[in-house]
Amino acid sequence: MKLLDLYAKMKGDLNQIEQELERTVTTDHVLLSEASVHLLKAGGKRIRPIIVLLSGKFGDYSLEVMKHIAVPLELIHMASLVHDDVIDDAETRRGQLTVKSQWDNRIAMYTGDYIYGKALTLATKLTNPIIHQILSKAMVQMCVGEMEQIRDFFNMDQTVRNYFLRIRRKTALLIAISCQLGAVASNADRATANKLYRFGYNIGMAYQIRDDLLDLLGTEKQIGKPPGSDMRQGNITLPVILALKDNRIQEALSRELAIIRKSGSVSDTSRAIEIIRNSEGVAQADQLASRYISKALAALEGLPNIAAKKNLVDIAHFVGKRNY
Amino acid sequence: MKLLDLYAKMKGDLNQIEQELERTVTTDHVLLSEASVHLLKAGGKRIRPIIVLLSGKFGDYSLEVMKHIAVPLELIHMASLVHDDVIDDAETRRGQLTVKSQWDNRIAMYTGDYIYGKALTLATKLTNPIIHQILSKAMVQMCVGEMEQIRDFFNMDQTVRNYFLRIRRKTALLIAISCQLGAVASNADRATANKLYRFGYNIGMAYQIRDDLLDLLGTEKQIGKPPGSDMRQGNITLPVILALKDNRIQEALSRELAIIRKSGSVSDTSRAIEIIRNSEGVAQADQLASRYISKALAALEGLPNIAAKKNLVDIAHFVGKRNY
């Protein structure tokens, strides 16, 4: 089944999630509502709600219960994006904030805080304390991941291990607990919840690697921002780390990265991208992403062969597909 | 009893809270630990932990349980301060961020997010869902309060009611739930928890009014920053709103505020402060603060005459004391 068919099949439940998302962030405060709803309308693939719902099918599925997991998880994801934007905004303006962008940043910061708070408020309607423990721990780890990313900006000595630890916290964990909490909240047994956690973790890792590849190899139209944005920000991703390990090109690439660092947000990354594209880094990163997809599929083994399992397999294949 | 004597009396329990605060924010990530511990060491009066502990004395007091309320509440307060600093930093630099301050702002934002997450993680060790519902709702309201403050910057038409709604969310609510949750977590009855909530709410309101008066009337040494900082930021506080209601000075004060708005963070607020000081605004704001203190004391009526009640009365008198 294609992903679009899956959306069509789940349309009824997803519409209800969409309504609940909007209802949750709507408030008396006009600006907060506007900013939050604007964010919601900006879209997103709603991957987290979808996998929450599918994971819930392995237990006693109730949309009413699933809402209190799916909506908070999507909101936590959104809040983290808003806070990322505060950072990016400051960058793209080369460190100079206009009054307008200052206002946006303030509002973005408190909108993020507000959405986090609303996410938790909705989740607290479920009384199983384990859910809240998993959720709050993941929020902490996501912040640590963001801080690790900042710490490692333009660090050309970082290892592949560093990168994996960082994207695990930054991205994979939230997808992992989307699966896990969908199962836990629908009273699936522990073994099932653990398998689903591993599935989510592995597609999360693959997803971030593909996303980082896309930032280097995609077109501006495809990725919605100029290629090389990560590099411009100082975010050294897997294909770059791997390319830097190649002695033949290490010097040239390091030189380009140093120039990018100096030129800041307006720098031309085309030469660096050319070097990486001609290195083994792309193929190796690609292989590593595929390996995570295989691990995700393996994690599903032993789960009952219900329709949701097939759908999760489809999602894994979708994440694993090259789009650059 | 003076406040210092109260600290001395509660030293044992407060030391344990202090240790737990530090333990909670310490992490493998050096920068996050450093930033968080630096914040903790910068001090604060720990008013929220103190009133949590005192409120807990109206039920089955257990320091072990109280820790899981007192530490999260102090951390939520701290996280909100860190996020406020992001805003203030950008302001005091007149909208231009140096690379150094950019880094500080990023780090401040994620440190705030991290501390929020850690606060919640600790709280989730208590399994009573009501606690989490109260906590997450308060976090949402605090964000709304901060956004209202931004929305009302330099709005000279705002009413006293506007101001009260804003500081209620921004300040009073967290102090109110400190009292309430101390009682709830120690299984005090609902009437007791409600009385303590009202006590906290009212001292919170008085505290913010006094703080806003101090910003206008205190010395730089006393308040740790130049007087008039609120005005410079555009935050129109109670004495200013009240002074603007006086027809004889409204025009002159509005003119000064317009000049301050134009000059930004380097503006001279001394003339505006002089005008406000000579208005009825100061005395009226002062009276309103005293009225909240009276309401706080009234809320304690009917509670058993234990030592903690006397201590809360002392705290109310301390908050009510003029310090300008």
Side-chain angles (χ1 to χ4, degrees):
Chain A
M1 194 189 280
K2 281 186 190 158
L3 212 63
L4 271 180
D5 297 330
L6 180 58
Y7 278 98
K9 190 188 143 201
M10 296 174 71
K11 199 177 163 192
D13 285 5
L14 282 174
N15 276 346
Q16 288 206 46
I17 297 291
E18 208 60 32
Q19 281 167 23
E20 190 69 30
L21 277 167
E22 193 164 335
R23 194 162 36 228
T24 305
V25 298
T26 301
T27 172
D28 291 345
H29 192 279
V30 179
L31 195 52
L32 269 175
S33 294
E34 277 177 9
S36 305
V37 172
H38 169 83
L39 269 162
L40 276 178
K41 300 284 178 193
K45 293 185 287 298
R46 306 283 189 255
I47 284 291
R48 290 157 198 81
I50 288 173
I51 60 178
V52 169
L53 298 183
L54 292 174
S55 299
K57 302 276 187 184
F58 292 88
D60 309 322
Y61 184 84
S62 146
L63 181 60
E64 197 48 38
V65 171
M66 287 300 109
K67 265 187 200 169
H68 293 85
I69 299 289
V71 172
L73 280 164
E74 184 69 7
L75 291 179
I76 288 171
H77 169 60
M78 278 176 52
S80 78
L81 291 185
V82 186
H83 278 184
D84 286 0
D85 287 349
V86 175
I87 302 298
D88 293 347
D89 225 341
E91 276 252 310
T92 52
R93 287 156 213 272
R94 301 199 66 201
Q96 299 212 1
L97 293 183
T98 61
V99 175
K100 189 192 158 296
S101 81
Q102 243 194 67
W103 271 79
D104 285 352
N105 276 347
R106 295 172 187 213
I107 288 166
M109 196 181 60
Y110 288 122
T111 302
D113 288 359
Y114 167 77
I115 295 174
Y116 275 129
K118 278 291 189 177
L120 293 165
T121 304
L122 188 64
T124 56
K125 294 199 178 144
L126 300 179
T127 56
N128 180 351
I130 292 168
I131 292 171
H132 307 297
Q133 287 158 10
I134 292 172
L135 213 49
S136 59
K137 275 189 191 158
M139 284 170 68
V140 168
Q141 289 304 316
M142 283 169 73
C143 296
V144 175
E146 294 288 352
M147 287 289 275
E148 281 170 342
Q149 183 165 310
I150 292 173
R151 182 196 60 192
D152 289 338
F153 275 164
F154 288 112
N155 171 10
M156 293 173 217
D157 292 329
Q158 62 188 289
T159 60
V160 171
R161 191 181 130 82
N162 262 5
Y163 169 85
F164 283 151
L165 279 173
R166 192 166 74 225
I167 68 167
R168 171 188 181 159
R169 288 175 155 140
K170 210 186 71 156
T171 307
L173 192 58
L174 196 66
I175 298 179
I177 70 162
S178 297
C179 293
Q180 182 188 20
L181 290 178
V184 169
S186 63
N187 297 316
D189 61 65
R190 184 188 280 255
T192 300
N194 287 348
K195 279 181 202 294
L196 288 165
Y197 177 95
R198 279 208 304 285
F199 171 79
Y201 167 74
N202 283 298
I203 64 164
M205 294 296 281
Y207 175 80
Q208 189 61 57
I209 295 172
R210 292 266 178 232
D211 202 53
D212 290 345
L213 277 162
L214 189 63
D215 185 71
L216 290 167
L217 308 175
T219 60
E220 177 154 0
K221 196 180 162 196
Q222 211 179 354
I223 50 184
K225 52 186 179 180
S229 298
D230 286 337
M231 239 189 302
R232 229 171 268 119
Q233 205 188 13
N235 187 10
I236 307 290
T237 57
L238 184 59
V240 188
I241 295 171
L242 292 169
L244 281 167
K245 292 199 179 305
D246 184 338
N247 286 331
R248 292 165 305 168
I249 60 171
Q250 190 199 17
E251 209 185 308
L253 182 53
S254 298
R255 205 182 312 121
E256 281 304 321
L257 286 168
I259 294 169
I260 289 166
R261 183 175 201 167
K262 262 196 196 148
S263 333
S265 56
V266 294
S267 52
D268 176 11
T269 57
S270 58
R271 272 192 307 273
I273 290 177
E274 197 52 36
I275 295 171
I276 297 160
R277 202 189 276 272
N278 292 325
S279 77
E280 294 297 306
V282 170
Q284 286 171 357
D286 215 79
Q287 267 169 28
L288 286 163
S290 300
R291 201 183 297 167
Y292 278 114
I293 294 297
S294 305
K295 282 189 195 171
L297 293 170
L300 295 178
E301 277 169 28
L303 288 181
N305 287 318
I306 57 175
K309 183 175 172 181
K310 278 208 199 75
N311 299 144
L312 289 176
V313 170
D314 291 337
I315 288 176
H317 286 308
F318 170 77
V319 171
K321 224 171 40 197
R322 275 190 226 186
N323 41 9
Y324 35 85
Chain B
M1 195 191 278
K2 283 185 189 156
L3 212 63
L4 272 180
D5 296 331
L6 180 58
Y7 279 98
K9 190 187 144 203
M10 297 174 71
K11 199 178 163 192
D13 285 5
L14 283 174
N15 277 346
Q16 289 207 43
I17 296 291
E18 209 58 34
Q19 282 167 23
E20 190 69 31
L21 276 168
E22 193 164 335
R23 193 162 37 226
T24 304
V25 298
T26 301
T27 172
D28 290 346
H29 192 278
V30 179
L31 195 51
L32 269 176
S33 293
E34 276 178 7
S36 305
V37 171
H38 169 83
L39 269 162
L40 276 177
K41 299 285 181 193
K45 293 185 287 298
R46 305 286 189 253
I47 284 291
R48 289 157 198 81
I50 289 173
I51 62 178
V52 169
L53 299 184
L54 292 174
S55 298
K57 301 276 186 184
F58 291 88
D60 309 323
Y61 184 85
S62 146
L63 180 60
E64 197 48 39
V65 171
M66 287 300 107
K67 263 186 201 170
H68 294 84
I69 299 289
V71 171
L73 281 164
E74 184 69 6
L75 291 179
I76 289 172
H77 168 61
M78 278 176 50
S80 77
L81 291 184
V82 187
H83 278 184
D84 287 359
D85 287 349
V86 175
I87 302 297
D88 293 348
D89 226 341
E91 276 251 310
T92 52
R93 286 158 211 269
R94 302 199 65 200
Q96 300 213 358
L97 293 183
T98 60
V99 175
K100 188 193 157 295
S101 81
Q102 244 194 67
W103 271 80
D104 285 351
N105 276 349
R106 294 170 188 215
I107 289 166
M109 198 182 60
Y110 288 121
T111 302
D113 288 359
Y114 167 78
I115 295 174
Y116 275 129
K118 278 290 188 177
L120 292 166
T121 305
L122 188 64
T124 56
K125 295 202 177 143
L126 300 180
T127 56
N128 180 351
I130 292 168
I131 292 171
H132 307 297
Q133 288 158 9
I134 292 171
L135 213 49
S136 60
K137 276 189 190 157
M139 284 171 68
V140 169
Q141 290 302 317
M142 284 171 72
C143 296
V144 175
E146 294 289 352
M147 287 288 275
E148 282 170 341
Q149 183 166 309
I150 292 173
R151 182 195 59 192
D152 289 339
F153 273 165
F154 287 112
N155 171 9
M156 292 173 217
D157 291 329
Q158 63 188 290
T159 60
V160 170
R161 192 182 128 82
N162 263 5
Y163 169 84
F164 283 150
L165 280 173
R166 192 167 74 225
I167 67 168
R168 171 186 180 161
R169 287 175 156 140
K170 207 187 72 157
T171 308
L173 192 58
L174 195 67
I175 299 180
I177 70 161
S178 297
C179 293
Q180 181 189 19
L181 291 178
V184 168
S186 64
N187 297 317
D189 61 64
R190 184 188 281 255
T192 300
N194 287 349
K195 278 180 202 295
L196 288 165
Y197 177 94
R198 280 208 302 285
F199 171 80
Y201 168 73
N202 284 296
I203 64 165
M205 294 295 280
Y207 174 79
Q208 189 59 57
I209 296 172
R210 293 266 176 231
D211 202 53
D212 291 345
L213 277 162
L214 189 64
D215 185 70
L216 291 166
L217 307 174
T219 60
E220 176 154 0
K221 195 179 161 195
Q222 213 178 350
I223 49 184
K225 52 186 177 178
S229 299
D230 286 336
M231 239 188 304
R232 226 171 270 119
Q233 204 188 12
N235 187 10
I236 308 289
T237 57
L238 185 59
V240 187
I241 295 171
L242 292 168
L244 281 167
K245 293 200 177 304
D246 185 337
N247 287 330
R248 291 165 306 169
I249 59 170
Q250 192 201 13
E251 208 186 308
L253 183 52
S254 298
R255 205 182 312 124
E256 282 302 322
L257 286 168
I259 294 170
I260 289 167
R261 181 175 202 167
K262 263 194 197 152
S263 330
S265 58
V266 294
S267 54
D268 178 9
T269 58
S270 60
R271 274 192 305 272
I273 290 178
E274 197 53 34
I275 294 171
I276 297 159
R277 201 189 277 273
N278 291 325
S279 77
E280 295 296 307
V282 171
Q284 286 171 356
D286 214 79
Q287 267 170 25
L288 286 163
S290 298
R291 204 184 292 169
Y292 278 112
I293 294 298
S294 303
K295 283 189 196 170
L297 293 170
L300 296 178
E301 276 169 27
L303 289 181
N305 287 316
I306 59 175
K309 183 174 172 182
K310 278 208 199 76
N311 299 145
L312 289 175
V313 169
D314 291 338
I315 288 176
H317 287 308
F318 170 76
V319 171
K321 225 171 39 197
R322 277 191 225 184
N323 41 9
Y324 36 86

